[in-house]
Amino acid sequence: MLSRRNVAIAAVVVLIAIWALWPSPYTRVANLGSHGSNVIAFGDSLTAGYGAGAGEDYPSRLSEIAGIAVINAGVSGDTTETALARLDNDVLARDPRIVIVGLGGNDFLRSVPIATTEANLRTIVRKTQAAGAMVVLLGFRFPSLSADYGEMYKRIAGDERCLLVAGVLSGILTDESLKSNAIHPNAKGYRLMAERIAGPLRKLIRKADAAR
């Protein structure tokens, strides 16, 4: 009969083996060996930096924190549909290596069906990947009783082999010190968004550099 100590050791060995064999969310990202040049943040007012001053948007802060250049391709008011319409000119024509996609809030505010939002996001992801770039998908939760937006972003990331950074707005829009109005962060809030994205982005770049 195994002693308790041996059982404990065996359990630890099993856990280590499971951890070692568990697929990394970074190594499964499509186009890990991308030869593109630029990191591009693509989104709506949360990317453009509405509610903060020049250089206080999250892509600018992300550039400072991560030590890499990040192009801000955010347009206030964009839905997934209008963003899709400008994807070619604003993103794909700029030699992207990594595209950070942050969209969906205006779809929610305008009562766009979540199925339409999901279809548009998948098209954006697929077109970006077809151009040879990796996709980092930002996940948001919106106060809907009929649609689970958090699950939608998770589903897209899993199906389309994106890196998901979930909950980037968590706690920001419920904290008066971190927001400029009811639906936008202030400079401090955007910095917190950037901090949440920076770690996963740096890990992805390290994996991608090794895959080149």
Side-chain angles (χ1 to χ4, degrees), residues 120-176:
N120 289 337
L121 283 171
R122 287 183 185 271
T123 301
I124 288 169
V125 169
R126 290 170 183 172
K127 288 190 68 173
T128 301
Q129 291 172 336
M134 295 170 273
V135 174
V136 175
L137 183 64
L138 304 185
F140 305 99
R141 289 191 176 276
F142 304 118
S144 171
L145 296 177
S146 60
D148 189 338
Y149 284 86
E151 184 60 32
M152 178 195 70
Y153 291 108
K154 182 179 178 181
R155 184 167 56 246
I156 294 171
D159 292 347
E160 308 296 341
R161 296 174 60 203
C162 310
L163 178 64
L164 176 66
V165 181
V168 291
L169 281 179
S170 179
I172 293 177
L173 298 184
T174 55
D175 186 335
E176 293 296 330

Side-chain angles (χ1 to χ4, degrees), residues 173-193:
L173 298 184
T174 55
D175 186 335
E176 293 296 330
S177 71
L178 296 175
K179 64 182 184 178
S180 60
N181 59 26
I183 58 174
H184 293 99
N186 58 19
K188 287 174 63 178
Y190 284 122
R191 181 172 183 82
L192 182 53
M193 282 182 65

Side-chain angles (χ1 to χ4, degrees), residues 34-54:
S34 173
H35 289 278
S37 302
N38 295 311
V39 177
I40 303 174
F42 182 56
D44 50 32
S45 56
L46 293 176
T47 300
Y50 186 94

